[in-house]
Amino acid sequence: MPERNDLQMPFSRLQLELDERAANGLLRKRHTLTGPQGAHVEVDGKRYISFSSNDYLGLANHPRVAAALKSGADIYGAGAGAAHLVTGHSLAHERLEEELAAFVGKPSALLFSTGFMANIGAVQALVGRGDTVYADRLNHASLNDAMLLSRATVRRYRHSDLGQLARMLGETTDGQRLVMTDAVFSMDGDRAPLPALLELCEKHDAWLLIDDAHGFGVSGERGRGSMSHFGIDHPRIIYMATLGKAAGVFGAFVAAEKVVIEALINNARGYIYTTATPPALSVALLESLVLIDEADESRAHLKALTKRLKQSLEGLKWRLMDSDTPIQPLLIGGNQETMDVSMGLRERGIWVAAIRPPTVPDGTARLRIALSAAHDFSDIEKLAKALHELAR
Ligand SMILES: *Cc1c(COP(=O)(O)O)cnc(C)c1O
């Protein structure tokens, strides 16, 4: 083996970039869970109260979902073995698509392996050169990558700035226009003004793609998501949601008019050229859907937890961002201070993810406090007590 010498290594450039990240306190690292996801987790062998998952309803380790997954494996085995358009499309996938479409009130739905792939696949299939995509600046990374890969002209508007979007929409009439937005912003927890966005899309004959990764299962009537939350429903809405967050399993779907789904089946490369998800996951998700439908009590509990968190952090020198969803970011500002608070919490047995640039804008590093119906009020009290101690 040659001596390790950074300058002679073939990857010295990568090493330099990583060293710079580390020097700025921005090196990303993983931690290993030694048990299931939940309100309490074991990380590297130690127990923590966790406010860091997207498992908003506590379904990731729900006995009924886990049992459905096992029964799915008994019927279908482990893997799908092929892409959906070859021989990978099973009855379980088919049934789940029907249930998802009905659940969110759309004529048709299509399963994707992940939300990341659903966004990339859908946008790339829907628009291309000569078309224009309008995107909120705080959209999820997968929507940002999707619009770049689509080769459409890209216009980004300031976060939820409808005036700027209206001006931009007025500037082009060529090609197809597609407006796309997170419904609940993943790092801020606030909601996009969907009714006003829909109105603008109507006026300018643009399509509206809604990414409801954080609304599905949590928001709206019986967890129907953000369209239901705002009481809107329109054929020009292309609805996307993920199944690895509130639904507790894995995957994603797009729900829309039949013609849109047909177009995705025929054109979405992230759908066509990839192996179907294990059918057992779809069996588990069918059970998740039943649980989401029944989870009014969990959703009410989530609201009560959110209220309690806001009350118990009053007077703290850091402030919670303006959000009525289970995503309750605590704005700290500096990268190092955010890391220090996160580490201080960890020493007290509490795990909250520190979110730093480039995931969020410079100077807005934050603790992303994510609540779950699996938390109880004493979890919130412990978090609040620790934060008040650390603020001193
Ligand atoms: C998590 C997330 C995705 C990606 O979904 P995965 O299924 O995890 O790939 C897409 N959009 C938003 C807004 C998300 O929060």
Side-chain angles (χ1 to χ4, degrees), residues 19-27 335-336 356:
D19 291 347
E20 196 182 316
R21 268 189 161 269
N24 292 325
L26 292 173
L27 197 64
N335 297 343
Q336 194 52 52
R356 293 162 294 165

